[in-house]
Amino acid sequence: MKNCILFLSKYAHFFEKLPTVACYHSLRMKPVYISDSFLPMVKKFIDGAFLGDVLSLIKSEDRQDFLSTVEALRDAKILIQDQASDKKAFDYFFGMLGKPYPHLAYFILTEKCNFRCKYCFIKNQESPDYNSGNMPLEVAIKGLDFFCRRIAEDPKQFELEKTIVFYGGEPLLNWNVLRILLAKIEEYIQKGKLPKKTILNMVTNGSLITNEIAKTLKSFNVQVSISIDGDSFATNSSRIYADGKPAYQDIKRGFLVCKENGMNIGASCTLSEASISDFDTTIKVLLDECQVTNLGFNLMIAGEDKLNDGYNERAAKFIIDAFKIFRERGVYEDRIMRKATSFVESKVWPFDCGATGGNQIVIAPDGDIGICHGFLAKRKYFPTNVYNDDFDISEDPTYKEWSMRSPLNMPQCQECPALGICGGGCPFQSEIEKGSIWDLDDRFCIHAKMTLEWLIWDLFNQTK
């Protein structure tokens, strides 16, 4: 063994919290914790070195410990005997790209909304003369048929979990169509046109929920997520009615109606400056007052009210601190859990949104079909419509491009320690801020890196 030559993997990264150093492979994702005194010796393998030569530089009483460290680093592929193993690992994960197939369908039931939220990334893209409309029932059924045809094209993936999201605008402004569509989805599941594991979600502002609506949604097992950003101050600072009136009390009433009808309710919480500024109150509203069992945090999108310097870092810290509380109380937060699951399972997470990977269809109210609802107003990346029975997702240029949009295929991401858990953030954000879906989403760069470092040391604290 002492005569073998070893190399430091190009995907090796080091996190120091003296006297301990966490050695981490950004694709293998199994941290190895070593003494800081060994770090200079480990780095001697950067360009390749014989183990015996490095060992000779170490005090005799420390050599056995160093050999044990080397063995652990080899097991984690942080030290490798052949640099070709780096390429082999990368090629394996890169092979996950370029295979568009829809697991997720967004039904934009209406582009109309009774709110005028200041940060709405859909409304903020509309021109003054944009014609917002409701989805007719014919389009809704045709859109469902379109989704069913696409998922049936790959029998091996058909039975995998599928998700249908009802979205807007405010989807409950088109309740009659939604109610009929829910019955049709149930019929298709029974007939085998949709897999048995089809999850139904609805994102709503909550203001239009009645007992009748809540009972119907519960009967069809729709998972409802209500948008709320904290207490009345935080929520009303950005979420208001079209006439300018505050919306908080009606949002809270929506939660109450759902809870009275025995529904497990989620929340969609956009982390505005007001939400972040009072951590304790925001968490109290979500967990104690709204009693959510699951939620998702949203980072502010570029082009909204100017954010204060350091917003990205504060938002990332907010999510981490919230997660510490959520895991103790059994509450699922989607954004950080995707990264935590990737880390814990040592499983590369190549895409962080449904559109990347080519895994999503978005059905506009007029029947146009695209890949990302952020581009709904401009209809960019909307290559077809519900009436095109012959559309081939696997050969469409838009879907093929988005199926490759991953940090694994972005040169600027290759040396990032969060390469394996990041997923690349939001292409919509990248394009509207920097001009291309292939640019970095800086918000998520910071979020991913801060989350990774916290996960590494949290694991250390749990195992030491």
Side-chain angles (χ1 to χ4, degrees):
M1 178 178 173
K2 295 180 181 179
N3 292 325
C4 72
I5 188 168
L6 295 174
F7 297 86
L8 188 65
S9 168
K10 65 183 290 187
Y11 299 108
H13 300 272
F14 303 98
F15 296 84
E16 298 186 44
K17 188 174 283 189
L18 302 181
T20 302
V21 175
C23 307
Y24 180 78
H25 190 295
S26 59
L27 293 177
R28 304 286 185 173
M29 296 183 288
K30 290 185 181 295
V32 176
Y33 303 96
I34 69 172
S35 167
D36 64 308
S37 63
F38 285 163
L39 181 59
M41 298 298 106
V42 170
K43 288 186 175 181
K44 288 187 178 296
F45 294 107
I46 287 178
D47 297 318
F50 285 102
L51 176 57
D53 291 345
V54 176
L55 199 60
S56 67
L57 302 175
I58 297 175
K59 294 178 182 178
S60 58
E61 62 267 28
D62 294 331
R63 287 176 185 172
Q64 191 55 50
D65 285 344
F66 184 73
L67 284 172
S68 298
T69 295
V70 168
E71 201 57 41
L73 293 173
R74 289 182 66 182
D75 287 344
K77 307 299 182 185
I78 293 167
L79 287 178
I80 53 180
Q81 284 187 261
D82 185 350
Q83 288 177 308
S85 65
D86 270 346
K87 184 178 187 306
K88 183 178 179 181
F90 180 81
D91 288 348
Y92 172 81
F93 295 114
F94 191 80
M96 302 165 68
L97 313 184
K99 302 168 185 176
Y101 173 86
H103 292 284
L104 171 63
Y106 270 79
F107 282 78
I108 311 298
L109 293 171
T110 180
E111 291 166 280
K112 298 178 180 179
C113 190
N114 57 335
F115 281 18
R116 287 295 179 271
C117 302
K118 295 178 181 178
Y119 51 55
C120 180
F121 67 91
I122 290 182
K123 286 295 180 183
N124 287 343
Q125 298 300 306
E126 294 179 358
S127 62
D129 59 348
Y130 186 80
N131 184 25
S132 300
N134 287 349
M135 178 180 287
L137 179 60
E138 176 192 350
V139 169
I141 302 302
K142 292 290 287 186
L144 183 61
D145 289 337
F146 182 96
F147 183 53
C148 290
R149 284 195 302 273
R150 300 291 81 78
I151 63 176
E153 290 171 356
D154 188 341
K156 292 182 179 179
Q157 298 196 69
F158 177 83
E159 290 297 338
L160 298 177
E161 182 178 287
K162 303 295 183 290
T163 302
I164 295 175
V165 180
F166 308 111
Y167 207 78
E170 170 48 51
L172 291 180
L173 287 172
N174 199 4
W175 170 242
N176 286 335
V177 167
L178 173 55
R179 178 174 48 83
I180 297 171
L181 184 58
L182 288 172
K184 182 63 69 171
I185 290 171
E186 185 174 83
E187 174 191 329
Y188 280 15
I189 292 173
Q190 296 301 320
K191 289 182 176 179
K193 297 178 71 173
L194 285 166
K196 292 181 180 179
K197 201 169 185 180
T198 297
I199 308 299
L200 306 182
N201 290 333
M202 182 180 72
V203 181
T204 172
N205 62 39
S207 66
L208 301 176
I209 296 176
T210 64
N211 279 313
E212 176 193 355
I213 288 174
K215 285 182 171 65
T216 302
L217 293 171
K218 183 181 179 183
S219 70
F220 286 105
N221 295 314
V222 179
Q223 300 177 0
V224 176
S225 180
I226 298 177
S227 300
I228 190 169
D229 301 339
D231 65 1
S232 58
F233 173 75
T235 301
N236 288 333
S237 65
S238 295
R239 302 181 61 76
I240 56 175
Y241 277 103
D243 62 5
K245 293 180 180 178
Y248 181 74
Q249 290 304 321
D250 288 340
I251 295 172
K252 288 290 294 291
R253 183 190 56 78
F255 276 100
L256 179 62
V257 171
C258 289
K259 297 301 290 187
E260 288 176 343
N261 283 277
M263 301 175 69
N264 289 323
I265 299 302
S268 176
C269 179
T270 297
L271 293 177
S272 66
E273 294 283 6
S275 304
I276 293 173
S277 65
D278 193 343
F279 177 88
D280 291 340
T281 299
T282 299
I283 299 303
K284 182 177 185 297
V285 168
L286 292 170
L287 297 189
D288 299 332
E289 296 183 18
C290 297
Q291 298 178 26
V292 301
T293 56
N294 63 87
L295 73 153
F297 286 126
N298 307 308
L299 300 177
M300 298 284 279
I301 296 282
E304 299 152 350
D305 294 341
K306 181 174 174 55
L307 301 175
N308 295 332
D309 290 343
Y311 166 81
N312 293 335
E313 290 80 4
R314 291 195 306 279
K317 184 178 185 303
F318 183 103
I319 295 173
I320 292 169
D321 290 343
F323 177 70
K324 298 174 188 177
I325 298 172
F326 294 161
R327 67 177 176 180
E328 293 178 359
R329 297 181 57 169
V331 174
Y332 181 94
E333 196 285 310
D334 185 57
R335 191 161 304 284
I336 198 169
M337 276 302 298
R338 296 199 292 262
K339 292 171 174 54
T341 301
S342 172
F343 176 82
V344 169
E345 297 180 356
S346 300
K347 186 177 180 180
V348 168
W349 184 252
F351 311 111
D352 196 58
C353 84
T356 50
N359 299 139
Q360 173 175 293
I361 68 168
V362 176
I363 306 162
D366 62 0
D368 284 345
I369 288 181
I371 196 166
C372 172
H373 46 293
F375 294 98
L376 185 67
K378 297 180 179 179
R379 289 298 197 272
K380 189 173 183 181
Y381 306 115
F382 274 69
T384 190
N385 60 70
V386 297
Y387 300 99
N388 185 355
D389 295 340
D390 299 323
F391 182 71
D392 187 347
I393 278 182
S394 66
E395 294 299 325
D396 177 72
T398 293
Y399 274 84
K400 288 173 73 173
E401 178 183 11
W402 283 65
S403 73
M404 296 298 295
R405 203 281 187 182
S406 166
L408 297 171
N409 195 33
M410 298 168 71
Q412 64 270 50
C413 299
Q414 298 307 298
E415 296 181 5
C416 177
L419 175 64
I421 72 164
C422 174
C426 175
F428 170 71
Q429 160 76 18
S430 297
E431 177 150 325
I432 64 172
E433 183 180 21
K434 297 182 179 178
S436 169
I437 66 170
W438 293 97
D439 283 316
L440 294 177
D441 176 357
D442 293 329
R443 306 166 310 156
F444 276 85
C445 289
I446 292 169
H447 165 57
K449 291 174 183 176
M450 288 180 62
T451 299
L452 172 63
E453 186 160 3
W454 179 78
L455 287 168
I456 286 172
W457 292 115
D458 181 66
L459 176 63
F460 175 74
N461 291 331
Q462 291 185 46
T463 57
K464 70 177 181 179

